[in-house]
Amino acid sequence: MASKLKLSCDNLTFRPAELKDRLELFDELSENIYNGHDYLPLFFERWLHDTRHYMICATSEGANDSSTILALDTIGLFDDGTTVLFQALRVHPAARGKRVASRLSAYLATYVKERFPTVKRLRAVIQHHNMGSIRLHAKQGYTQLHCEAFGMAAIDAKARAVFHAGGAYRPSRQFVGKRMNMVSKEVFWQHLSSLSPDDKDRLLPSNLILSDWMPYEVSESNLHVMEQEEGMAFWVVLDTTKATLPMVGFVVSQRSQRCSGTHLFNCIRCHGNAKLAQWMTSIVCYYLHHGCSHLCLSYDQQLRDAMYKDTTIESAQQPEPDFGPVPWLVSLQDQLPYLDFAADYVGGSQTVYELVL
């Protein structure tokens, strides 16, 4: 097995990833990642050839001039080239715990400063209970910027077909003085721009939209990237009891490929209103679930905080993962019985860490 191999981690060489690396990467570094939901095998060739991603390998020289890939990390350029998001860090099983990841991260920090002078910040999105990664970034000076709850459900295609047979179920887009519509990026930007300072703080914490583990600064240019390059759809919830029809919630939806199938990601913002979150998600599921194997939800942290015995989340000490049922997700599964939240392997939150350069 790969974990029993003896590898030298003393003399590392850093180089760009190449197409010929994919078999070694997928066989050794990507195996059993995320409970079979890894995305790297499906994104590798795309990232290898686009202009926003740079994949770097850490290798070790062996006998007969052979080399072994010990780790891989990816530089993703976001926010008009002002933000680097590190994605898809992978470490060879036999090299874990030997400072390979920290040495690669240190090399990449220097690489970014020299290669991309417009970059102002480095970011990473980490599962809140991945203490090894959190400690690695804390030692490098990263601080917690944003924490958002995460939920994941498997979609049973046969049960879904039975549930929707004959068109008997069709959720209303009206809900207690609220209306939900899909809108263009231009209209979505108008609503975002018109938010009051208090509403902006609640709906746009840290001025970020988190979709498929990627944090986007809220800007007009980013909405263009999100729609045109990533295929995201924008939904707004309007308060119909007021003449100005202010936005009181929104969903950003995106389909993304994983080894286990197509995942439907949704960033849901609703002022922490559980009933509103359930209604919004049910509508998105109805219109966009076709062909998807899993539903993934990023949602207001306060809807999950009640699941912790200590609701205070300190940046330096994250709570243990809580795999208990989140009430509003239980209600959603009762409403849509083809969803199974027992498939959630994260069981907690996704946290954005940042290092300002």
Side-chain angles (χ1 to χ4, degrees), residues 184-244:
S184 67
K185 63 181 184 299
E186 291 83 7
V187 173
F188 187 43
W189 175 246
Q190 291 175 6
H191 286 294
L192 293 173
S193 301
S194 63
L195 288 172
S196 69
D198 287 342
D199 285 338
K200 186 174 182 179
D201 287 342
R202 288 192 291 266
L203 289 178
L204 298 171
S206 302
N207 199 42
L208 295 177
I209 293 176
L210 190 58
S211 180
D212 192 7
W213 298 81
M214 294 181 290
Y216 292 87
E217 292 280 337
V218 177
S219 69
E220 191 171 10
S221 60
N222 264 350
L223 293 187
H224 177 83
V225 172
M226 294 162 72
E227 182 186 70
Q228 298 299 315
E229 297 185 23
E230 301 296 342
M232 299 186 193
F234 308 114
W235 302 76
V236 297
V237 177
L238 305 179
D239 185 347
T240 58
T241 67
K242 299 180 179 179
T244 56

Short mmCIF file of all heavy atoms in Angstrom, two decimals, residues 184-244:
data_model
loop_
_atom_site.label_atom_id
_atom_site.label_comp_id
_atom_site.label_asym_id
_atom_site.label_seq_id
_atom_site.Cartn_x
_atom_site.Cartn_y
_atom_site.Cartn_z
N SER A 184 -31.08 37.77 -13.55
CA SER A 184 -29.80 37.90 -14.23
C SER A 184 -28.75 38.46 -13.26
O SER A 184 -29.09 39.00 -12.20
CB SER A 184 -29.93 38.84 -15.44
OG SER A 184 -30.20 40.16 -15.00
N LYS A 185 -27.50 38.39 -13.66
CA LYS A 185 -26.43 38.95 -12.82
C LYS A 185 -26.58 40.45 -12.67
O LYS A 185 -26.24 41.02 -11.62
CB LYS A 185 -25.05 38.60 -13.40
CG LYS A 185 -24.75 39.18 -14.77
CD LYS A 185 -23.37 38.76 -15.25
CE LYS A 185 -23.00 39.40 -16.60
NZ LYS A 185 -23.93 39.01 -17.65
N GLU A 186 -27.11 41.13 -13.69
CA GLU A 186 -27.30 42.57 -13.62
C GLU A 186 -28.35 42.95 -12.56
O GLU A 186 -28.14 43.86 -11.76
CB GLU A 186 -27.71 43.13 -14.98
CG GLU A 186 -26.62 43.08 -16.04
CD GLU A 186 -26.53 41.72 -16.74
OE1 GLU A 186 -27.40 40.87 -16.48
OE2 GLU A 186 -25.58 41.53 -17.53
N VAL A 187 -29.46 42.21 -12.57
CA VAL A 187 -30.51 42.48 -11.59
C VAL A 187 -30.03 42.10 -10.18
O VAL A 187 -30.30 42.82 -9.20
CB VAL A 187 -31.79 41.71 -11.96
CG1 VAL A 187 -32.84 41.83 -10.85
CG2 VAL A 187 -32.35 42.23 -13.28
N PHE A 188 -29.31 40.99 -10.07
CA PHE A 188 -28.79 40.57 -8.78
C PHE A 188 -27.85 41.64 -8.22
O PHE A 188 -27.90 41.98 -7.03
CB PHE A 188 -28.06 39.23 -8.93
CG PHE A 188 -27.61 38.61 -7.63
CD1 PHE A 188 -28.44 38.59 -6.52
CD2 PHE A 188 -26.35 38.03 -7.53
CE1 PHE A 188 -28.03 38.01 -5.32
CE2 PHE A 188 -25.93 37.45 -6.35
CZ PHE A 188 -26.77 37.44 -5.24
N TRP A 189 -27.01 42.21 -9.07
CA TRP A 189 -26.09 43.25 -8.63
C TRP A 189 -26.85 44.49 -8.16
O TRP A 189 -26.46 45.13 -7.16
CB TRP A 189 -25.13 43.61 -9.75
CG TRP A 189 -24.23 44.76 -9.44
CD1 TRP A 189 -24.20 45.99 -10.03
CD2 TRP A 189 -23.22 44.81 -8.41
NE1 TRP A 189 -23.25 46.79 -9.46
CE2 TRP A 189 -22.63 46.10 -8.47
CE3 TRP A 189 -22.76 43.89 -7.47
CZ2 TRP A 189 -21.61 46.47 -7.60
CZ3 TRP A 189 -21.74 44.27 -6.60
CH2 TRP A 189 -21.18 45.55 -6.68
N GLN A 190 -27.95 44.83 -8.83
CA GLN A 190 -28.75 45.96 -8.39
C GLN A 190 -29.29 45.75 -6.98
O GLN A 190 -29.28 46.66 -6.14
CB GLN A 190 -29.91 46.19 -9.38
CG GLN A 190 -29.47 46.70 -10.74
CD GLN A 190 -30.63 46.79 -11.72
OE1 GLN A 190 -31.79 46.58 -11.36
NE2 GLN A 190 -30.33 47.10 -12.97
N HIS A 191 -29.77 44.52 -6.73
CA HIS A 191 -30.28 44.22 -5.38
C HIS A 191 -29.17 44.25 -4.35
O HIS A 191 -29.36 44.78 -3.24
CB HIS A 191 -30.97 42.86 -5.38
CG HIS A 191 -32.31 42.84 -6.04
ND1 HIS A 191 -33.40 43.53 -5.55
CD2 HIS A 191 -32.75 42.20 -7.17
CE1 HIS A 191 -34.45 43.32 -6.34
NE2 HIS A 191 -34.08 42.52 -7.32
N LEU A 192 -28.03 43.69 -4.67
CA LEU A 192 -26.91 43.70 -3.73
C LEU A 192 -26.46 45.13 -3.43
O LEU A 192 -26.14 45.47 -2.28
CB LEU A 192 -25.73 42.89 -4.29
CG LEU A 192 -25.93 41.39 -4.43
CD1 LEU A 192 -24.73 40.78 -5.16
CD2 LEU A 192 -26.11 40.72 -3.08
N SER A 193 -26.43 45.97 -4.46
CA SER A 193 -25.96 47.34 -4.30
C SER A 193 -26.92 48.20 -3.48
O SER A 193 -26.50 49.21 -2.90
CB SER A 193 -25.75 47.99 -5.67
OG SER A 193 -24.82 47.27 -6.45
N SER A 194 -28.18 47.82 -3.44
CA SER A 194 -29.18 48.62 -2.74
C SER A 194 -29.40 48.18 -1.30
O SER A 194 -30.24 48.75 -0.59
CB SER A 194 -30.51 48.57 -3.49
OG SER A 194 -31.03 47.25 -3.52
N LEU A 195 -28.65 47.18 -0.82
CA LEU A 195 -28.81 46.71 0.56
C LEU A 195 -28.40 47.81 1.54
O LEU A 195 -27.42 48.52 1.33
CB LEU A 195 -27.96 45.47 0.81
CG LEU A 195 -28.40 44.16 0.16
CD1 LEU A 195 -27.33 43.09 0.37
CD2 LEU A 195 -29.74 43.69 0.73
N SER A 196 -29.14 47.91 2.63
CA SER A 196 -28.76 48.83 3.70
C SER A 196 -27.51 48.28 4.39
O SER A 196 -27.20 47.07 4.27
CB SER A 196 -29.89 48.96 4.71
OG SER A 196 -30.05 47.72 5.42
N PRO A 197 -26.78 49.11 5.12
CA PRO A 197 -25.59 48.59 5.82
C PRO A 197 -25.89 47.42 6.74
O PRO A 197 -25.11 46.45 6.78
CB PRO A 197 -25.10 49.83 6.60
CG PRO A 197 -25.54 50.99 5.77
CD PRO A 197 -26.89 50.58 5.22
N ASP A 198 -27.00 47.46 7.47
CA ASP A 198 -27.35 46.36 8.38
C ASP A 198 -27.66 45.09 7.60
O ASP A 198 -27.22 43.99 7.97
CB ASP A 198 -28.55 46.74 9.25
CG ASP A 198 -28.17 47.76 10.33
OD1 ASP A 198 -26.96 47.91 10.60
OD2 ASP A 198 -29.10 48.39 10.87
N ASP A 199 -28.45 45.21 6.53
CA ASP A 199 -28.79 44.04 5.72
C ASP A 199 -27.55 43.47 5.04
O ASP A 199 -27.41 42.26 4.89
CB ASP A 199 -29.85 44.39 4.68
CG ASP A 199 -31.23 44.54 5.29
OD1 ASP A 199 -31.45 43.98 6.38
OD2 ASP A 199 -32.07 45.22 4.69
N LYS A 200 -26.65 44.35 4.62
CA LYS A 200 -25.42 43.87 3.99
C LYS A 200 -24.59 43.07 4.97
O LYS A 200 -24.02 42.02 4.63
CB LYS A 200 -24.61 45.04 3.45
CG LYS A 200 -23.39 44.62 2.66
CD LYS A 200 -22.70 45.81 2.01
CE LYS A 200 -21.50 45.34 1.19
NZ LYS A 200 -20.81 46.48 0.52
N ASP A 201 -24.52 43.52 6.23
CA ASP A 201 -23.78 42.78 7.24
C ASP A 201 -24.37 41.40 7.47
O ASP A 201 -23.64 40.42 7.69
CB ASP A 201 -23.76 43.55 8.56
CG ASP A 201 -22.85 44.77 8.52
OD1 ASP A 201 -21.99 44.82 7.63
OD2 ASP A 201 -23.02 45.65 9.38
N ARG A 202 -25.69 41.29 7.41
CA ARG A 202 -26.35 40.01 7.68
C ARG A 202 -26.33 39.08 6.46
O ARG A 202 -26.13 37.87 6.59
CB ARG A 202 -27.79 40.24 8.14
CG ARG A 202 -27.89 40.81 9.55
CD ARG A 202 -29.31 40.75 10.06
NE ARG A 202 -30.18 41.68 9.33
CZ ARG A 202 -30.46 42.91 9.74
NH1 ARG A 202 -29.92 43.38 10.85
NH2 ARG A 202 -31.28 43.69 9.05
N LEU A 203 -26.55 39.64 5.27
CA LEU A 203 -26.64 38.81 4.07
C LEU A 203 -25.29 38.58 3.40
O LEU A 203 -25.11 37.58 2.68
CB LEU A 203 -27.60 39.44 3.05
CG LEU A 203 -29.08 39.42 3.39
CD1 LEU A 203 -29.88 40.13 2.31
CD2 LEU A 203 -29.60 38.00 3.57
N LEU A 204 -24.34 39.47 3.64
CA LEU A 204 -23.03 39.37 2.99
C LEU A 204 -21.91 39.46 4.03
O LEU A 204 -21.11 40.40 4.03
CB LEU A 204 -22.86 40.48 1.94
CG LEU A 204 -23.85 40.45 0.78
CD1 LEU A 204 -23.70 41.71 -0.05
CD2 LEU A 204 -23.63 39.21 -0.08
N PRO A 205 -21.85 38.51 4.96
CA PRO A 205 -20.79 38.55 5.96
C PRO A 205 -19.41 38.51 5.31
O PRO A 205 -19.17 37.71 4.40
CB PRO A 205 -21.05 37.29 6.81
CG PRO A 205 -21.86 36.39 5.93
CD PRO A 205 -22.69 37.31 5.08
N SER A 206 -18.55 39.41 5.75
CA SER A 206 -17.19 39.56 5.20
C SER A 206 -17.21 39.91 3.71
O SER A 206 -16.19 39.74 3.03
CB SER A 206 -16.37 38.27 5.43
OG SER A 206 -16.29 37.95 6.80
N ASN A 207 -18.37 40.35 3.22
CA ASN A 207 -18.53 40.73 1.80
C ASN A 207 -18.18 39.58 0.87
O ASN A 207 -17.61 39.76 -0.20
CB ASN A 207 -17.67 41.95 1.46
CG ASN A 207 -18.13 42.65 0.19
OD1 ASN A 207 -19.31 42.83 -0.05
ND2 ASN A 207 -17.18 43.01 -0.67
N LEU A 208 -18.58 38.36 1.27
CA LEU A 208 -18.25 37.15 0.51
C LEU A 208 -19.50 36.38 0.13
O LEU A 208 -20.49 36.36 0.86
CB LEU A 208 -17.34 36.22 1.32
CG LEU A 208 -15.94 36.70 1.67
CD1 LEU A 208 -15.25 35.65 2.54
CD2 LEU A 208 -15.13 36.97 0.42
N ILE A 209 -19.44 35.73 -1.04
CA ILE A 209 -20.39 34.68 -1.42
C ILE A 209 -19.58 33.41 -1.57
O ILE A 209 -18.60 33.37 -2.32
CB ILE A 209 -21.11 35.02 -2.73
CG1 ILE A 209 -22.03 36.23 -2.54
CG2 ILE A 209 -21.92 33.82 -3.23
CD1 ILE A 209 -22.71 36.69 -3.81
N LEU A 210 -19.97 32.36 -0.83
CA LEU A 210 -19.22 31.11 -0.80
C LEU A 210 -19.97 30.05 -1.59
O LEU A 210 -21.06 29.63 -1.19
CB LEU A 210 -19.02 30.67 0.65
CG LEU A 210 -18.05 29.53 0.95
CD1 LEU A 210 -16.66 29.85 0.43
CD2 LEU A 210 -18.01 29.25 2.44
N SER A 211 -19.40 29.64 -2.72
CA SER A 211 -20.04 28.63 -3.57
C SER A 211 -19.03 27.57 -3.96
O SER A 211 -17.94 27.88 -4.44
CB SER A 211 -20.61 29.28 -4.84
OG SER A 211 -21.23 28.31 -5.67
N ASP A 212 -19.38 26.32 -3.74
CA ASP A 212 -18.49 25.19 -4.06
C ASP A 212 -17.11 25.40 -3.43
O ASP A 212 -16.09 25.21 -4.08
CB ASP A 212 -18.38 25.01 -5.58
CG ASP A 212 -17.72 23.69 -5.96
OD1 ASP A 212 -17.45 22.86 -5.07
OD2 ASP A 212 -17.44 23.50 -7.16
N TRP A 213 -17.09 25.81 -2.18
CA TRP A 213 -15.87 26.00 -1.40
C TRP A 213 -14.99 27.10 -1.98
O TRP A 213 -13.78 27.13 -1.71
CB TRP A 213 -15.10 24.68 -1.29
CG TRP A 213 -15.87 23.62 -0.57
CD1 TRP A 213 -16.84 22.83 -1.11
CD2 TRP A 213 -15.78 23.27 0.82
NE1 TRP A 213 -17.36 21.99 -0.14
CE2 TRP A 213 -16.73 22.25 1.05
CE3 TRP A 213 -15.00 23.72 1.87
CZ2 TRP A 213 -16.90 21.66 2.31
CZ3 TRP A 213 -15.17 23.14 3.12
CH2 TRP A 213 -16.11 22.13 3.33
N MET A 214 -15.56 28.00 -2.77
CA MET A 214 -14.80 29.11 -3.35
C MET A 214 -15.41 30.42 -2.89
O MET A 214 -16.57 30.72 -3.18
CB MET A 214 -14.82 29.03 -4.88
CG MET A 214 -14.08 27.82 -5.44
SD MET A 214 -14.07 27.75 -7.26
CE MET A 214 -15.82 27.37 -7.60
N PRO A 215 -14.66 31.26 -2.14
CA PRO A 215 -15.17 32.55 -1.67
C PRO A 215 -14.94 33.64 -2.71
O PRO A 215 -13.81 33.87 -3.16
CB PRO A 215 -14.34 32.82 -0.41
CG PRO A 215 -13.04 32.10 -0.66
CD PRO A 215 -13.34 30.93 -1.57
N TYR A 216 -16.02 34.31 -3.09
CA TYR A 216 -15.95 35.41 -4.06
C TYR A 216 -16.26 36.72 -3.35
O TYR A 216 -17.28 36.83 -2.66
CB TYR A 216 -16.96 35.22 -5.19
CG TYR A 216 -16.67 34.06 -6.11
CD1 TYR A 216 -17.12 32.78 -5.82
CD2 TYR A 216 -15.98 34.26 -7.30
CE1 TYR A 216 -16.87 31.71 -6.68
CE2 TYR A 216 -15.73 33.21 -8.17
CZ TYR A 216 -16.18 31.94 -7.85
OH TYR A 216 -15.93 30.89 -8.71
N GLU A 217 -15.39 37.72 -3.52
CA GLU A 217 -15.72 39.06 -3.08
C GLU A 217 -16.94 39.53 -3.89
O GLU A 217 -17.06 39.25 -5.08
CB GLU A 217 -14.56 40.02 -3.32
CG GLU A 217 -13.34 39.75 -2.45
CD GLU A 217 -13.47 40.32 -1.06
OE1 GLU A 217 -14.28 41.26 -0.87
OE2 GLU A 217 -12.80 39.81 -0.15
N VAL A 218 -17.84 40.24 -3.22
CA VAL A 218 -19.04 40.72 -3.91
C VAL A 218 -18.67 41.93 -4.77
O VAL A 218 -18.33 42.99 -4.26
CB VAL A 218 -20.14 41.09 -2.90
CG1 VAL A 218 -21.35 41.65 -3.64
CG2 VAL A 218 -20.54 39.86 -2.09
N SER A 219 -18.69 41.72 -6.07
CA SER A 219 -18.39 42.80 -7.02
C SER A 219 -19.10 42.49 -8.32
O SER A 219 -19.45 41.34 -8.61
CB SER A 219 -16.89 42.93 -7.27
OG SER A 219 -16.39 41.81 -7.98
N GLU A 220 -19.31 43.51 -9.14
CA GLU A 220 -19.98 43.32 -10.43
C GLU A 220 -19.15 42.44 -11.35
O GLU A 220 -19.70 41.59 -12.06
CB GLU A 220 -20.23 44.69 -11.06
CG GLU A 220 -21.15 44.64 -12.27
CD GLU A 220 -21.56 46.02 -12.73
OE1 GLU A 220 -20.98 47.01 -12.25
OE2 GLU A 220 -22.47 46.12 -13.58
N SER A 221 -17.84 42.62 -11.34
CA SER A 221 -16.98 41.80 -12.21
C SER A 221 -17.00 40.34 -11.78
O SER A 221 -16.95 39.43 -12.62
CB SER A 221 -15.55 42.34 -12.21
OG SER A 221 -15.00 42.34 -10.92
N ASN A 222 -17.07 40.08 -10.47
CA ASN A 222 -17.11 38.69 -10.00
C ASN A 222 -18.43 38.01 -10.38
O ASN A 222 -18.46 36.81 -10.67
CB ASN A 222 -16.92 38.63 -8.49
CG ASN A 222 -15.47 38.35 -8.12
OD1 ASN A 222 -14.65 38.01 -8.98
ND2 ASN A 222 -15.15 38.46 -6.85
N LEU A 223 -19.53 38.76 -10.35
CA LEU A 223 -20.80 38.17 -10.77
C LEU A 223 -20.72 37.71 -12.22
O LEU A 223 -21.29 36.68 -12.60
CB LEU A 223 -21.94 39.16 -10.59
CG LEU A 223 -22.30 39.55 -9.16
CD1 LEU A 223 -23.57 40.40 -9.15
CD2 LEU A 223 -22.46 38.34 -8.25
N HIS A 224 -20.01 38.46 -13.04
CA HIS A 224 -19.82 38.07 -14.44
C HIS A 224 -19.04 36.75 -14.52
O HIS A 224 -19.42 35.85 -15.27
CB HIS A 224 -19.08 39.16 -15.20
CG HIS A 224 -18.78 38.80 -16.63
ND1 HIS A 224 -19.70 38.93 -17.65
CD2 HIS A 224 -17.66 38.26 -17.22
CE1 HIS A 224 -19.18 38.52 -18.79
NE2 HIS A 224 -17.93 38.11 -18.55
N VAL A 225 -17.98 36.63 -13.74
CA VAL A 225 -17.20 35.39 -13.72
C VAL A 225 -18.05 34.24 -13.23
O VAL A 225 -18.03 33.13 -13.80
CB VAL A 225 -15.95 35.57 -12.82
CG1 VAL A 225 -15.24 34.23 -12.62
CG2 VAL A 225 -14.99 36.58 -13.43
N MET A 226 -18.80 34.47 -12.17
CA MET A 226 -19.62 33.41 -11.57
C MET A 226 -20.66 32.89 -12.55
O MET A 226 -20.92 31.69 -12.61
CB MET A 226 -20.27 33.94 -10.29
CG MET A 226 -19.26 34.27 -9.19
SD MET A 226 -19.93 35.36 -7.90
CE MET A 226 -21.05 34.24 -7.05
N GLU A 227 -21.28 33.79 -13.32
CA GLU A 227 -22.31 33.38 -14.27
C GLU A 227 -21.72 32.81 -15.55
O GLU A 227 -22.09 31.72 -16.00
CB GLU A 227 -23.21 34.56 -14.60
CG GLU A 227 -24.36 34.19 -15.55
CD GLU A 227 -25.16 35.40 -15.98
OE1 GLU A 227 -24.62 36.23 -16.75
OE2 GLU A 227 -26.32 35.52 -15.55
N GLN A 228 -20.77 33.54 -16.15
CA GLN A 228 -20.28 33.17 -17.48
C GLN A 228 -19.25 32.04 -17.45
O GLN A 228 -19.22 31.22 -18.36
CB GLN A 228 -19.67 34.42 -18.15
CG GLN A 228 -20.64 35.54 -18.37
CD GLN A 228 -21.79 35.15 -19.29
OE1 GLN A 228 -21.58 34.53 -20.33
NE2 GLN A 228 -23.02 35.48 -18.91
N GLU A 229 -18.41 31.99 -16.43
CA GLU A 229 -17.36 30.98 -16.38
C GLU A 229 -17.71 29.78 -15.50
O GLU A 229 -17.28 28.66 -15.79
CB GLU A 229 -16.04 31.60 -15.90
CG GLU A 229 -15.51 32.68 -16.82
CD GLU A 229 -14.15 33.20 -16.40
OE1 GLU A 229 -13.43 32.46 -15.67
OE2 GLU A 229 -13.80 34.33 -16.78
N GLU A 230 -18.47 30.01 -14.45
CA GLU A 230 -18.80 28.91 -13.52
C GLU A 230 -20.24 28.43 -13.65
O GLU A 230 -20.61 27.46 -13.01
CB GLU A 230 -18.52 29.36 -12.08
CG GLU A 230 -17.08 29.78 -11.81
CD GLU A 230 -16.08 28.63 -11.98
OE1 GLU A 230 -16.51 27.47 -11.97
OE2 GLU A 230 -14.88 28.91 -12.13
N GLY A 231 -21.04 29.11 -14.45
CA GLY A 231 -22.41 28.65 -14.70
C GLY A 231 -23.35 28.81 -13.52
O GLY A 231 -24.32 28.06 -13.39
N MET A 232 -23.11 29.79 -12.66
CA MET A 232 -23.95 29.97 -11.49
C MET A 232 -25.25 30.68 -11.85
O MET A 232 -25.31 31.47 -12.78
CB MET A 232 -23.21 30.77 -10.42
CG MET A 232 -21.95 30.09 -9.91
SD MET A 232 -21.21 30.99 -8.54
CE MET A 232 -19.60 30.19 -8.45
N ALA A 233 -26.29 30.35 -11.09
CA ALA A 233 -27.60 30.99 -11.24
C ALA A 233 -27.91 31.77 -9.96
O ALA A 233 -27.52 31.37 -8.86
CB ALA A 233 -28.68 29.94 -11.49
N PHE A 234 -28.62 32.89 -10.12
CA PHE A 234 -28.90 33.77 -8.99
C PHE A 234 -30.41 33.83 -8.74
O PHE A 234 -31.19 34.08 -9.64
CB PHE A 234 -28.37 35.19 -9.28
CG PHE A 234 -26.92 35.21 -9.70
CD1 PHE A 234 -26.58 35.61 -10.99
CD2 PHE A 234 -25.91 34.79 -8.85
CE1 PHE A 234 -25.26 35.64 -11.39
CE2 PHE A 234 -24.59 34.80 -9.25
CZ PHE A 234 -24.25 35.22 -10.52
N TRP A 235 -30.79 33.62 -7.46
CA TRP A 235 -32.18 33.70 -7.03
C TRP A 235 -32.27 34.79 -5.97
O TRP A 235 -31.39 34.90 -5.11
CB TRP A 235 -32.65 32.39 -6.42
CG TRP A 235 -32.56 31.18 -7.29
CD1 TRP A 235 -31.45 30.47 -7.62
CD2 TRP A 235 -33.64 30.52 -7.93
NE1 TRP A 235 -31.77 29.40 -8.43
CE2 TRP A 235 -33.11 29.41 -8.64
CE3 TRP A 235 -35.02 30.75 -7.99
CZ2 TRP A 235 -33.90 28.53 -9.37
CZ3 TRP A 235 -35.82 29.87 -8.72
CH2 TRP A 235 -35.25 28.78 -9.41
N VAL A 236 -33.33 35.57 -6.00
CA VAL A 236 -33.54 36.59 -4.97
C VAL A 236 -34.90 36.37 -4.33
O VAL A 236 -35.86 35.91 -4.96
CB VAL A 236 -33.45 38.02 -5.55
CG1 VAL A 236 -32.05 38.27 -6.10
CG2 VAL A 236 -34.51 38.25 -6.61
N VAL A 237 -34.97 36.69 -3.03
CA VAL A 237 -36.22 36.67 -2.28
C VAL A 237 -36.57 38.11 -1.94
O VAL A 237 -35.78 38.82 -1.29
CB VAL A 237 -36.10 35.82 -1.00
CG1 VAL A 237 -37.40 35.88 -0.20
CG2 VAL A 237 -35.75 34.39 -1.35
N LEU A 238 -37.73 38.57 -2.40
CA LEU A 238 -38.15 39.95 -2.22
C LEU A 238 -39.28 40.03 -1.20
O LEU A 238 -40.15 39.14 -1.13
CB LEU A 238 -38.61 40.54 -3.55
CG LEU A 238 -37.62 40.46 -4.70
CD1 LEU A 238 -38.23 41.07 -5.96
CD2 LEU A 238 -36.30 41.14 -4.35
N ASP A 239 -39.29 41.09 -0.42
CA ASP A 239 -40.36 41.36 0.55
C ASP A 239 -41.48 42.10 -0.18
O ASP A 239 -41.37 43.29 -0.48
CB ASP A 239 -39.81 42.20 1.70
CG ASP A 239 -40.83 42.41 2.81
OD1 ASP A 239 -42.02 42.11 2.59
OD2 ASP A 239 -40.43 42.87 3.89
N THR A 240 -42.56 41.38 -0.47
CA THR A 240 -43.66 41.95 -1.25
C THR A 240 -44.59 42.82 -0.41
O THR A 240 -45.53 43.41 -0.95
CB THR A 240 -44.47 40.84 -1.94
OG1 THR A 240 -44.96 39.93 -0.94
CG2 THR A 240 -43.61 40.08 -2.92
N THR A 241 -44.36 42.89 0.90
CA THR A 241 -45.20 43.74 1.75
C THR A 241 -44.74 45.18 1.72
O THR A 241 -45.42 46.05 2.27
CB THR A 241 -45.18 43.23 3.20
OG1 THR A 241 -43.86 43.40 3.76
CG2 THR A 241 -45.58 41.77 3.28
N LYS A 242 -43.59 45.44 1.08
CA LYS A 242 -43.07 46.80 1.01
C LYS A 242 -43.02 47.27 -0.44
O LYS A 242 -42.68 46.48 -1.33
CB LYS A 242 -41.68 46.88 1.64
CG LYS A 242 -41.69 46.50 3.12
CD LYS A 242 -40.29 46.58 3.73
CE LYS A 242 -40.34 46.22 5.21
NZ LYS A 242 -38.99 46.27 5.83
N ALA A 243 -43.30 48.54 -0.65
CA ALA A 243 -43.40 49.08 -2.01
C ALA A 243 -42.08 48.98 -2.76
O ALA A 243 -42.07 48.81 -3.99
CB ALA A 243 -43.86 50.53 -1.96
N THR A 244 -40.96 49.07 -2.05
CA THR A 244 -39.66 49.04 -2.71
C THR A 244 -39.18 47.63 -3.03
O THR A 244 -38.15 47.46 -3.68
CB THR A 244 -38.61 49.73 -1.83
OG1 THR A 244 -38.58 49.08 -0.53
CG2 THR A 244 -38.92 51.20 -1.66
#
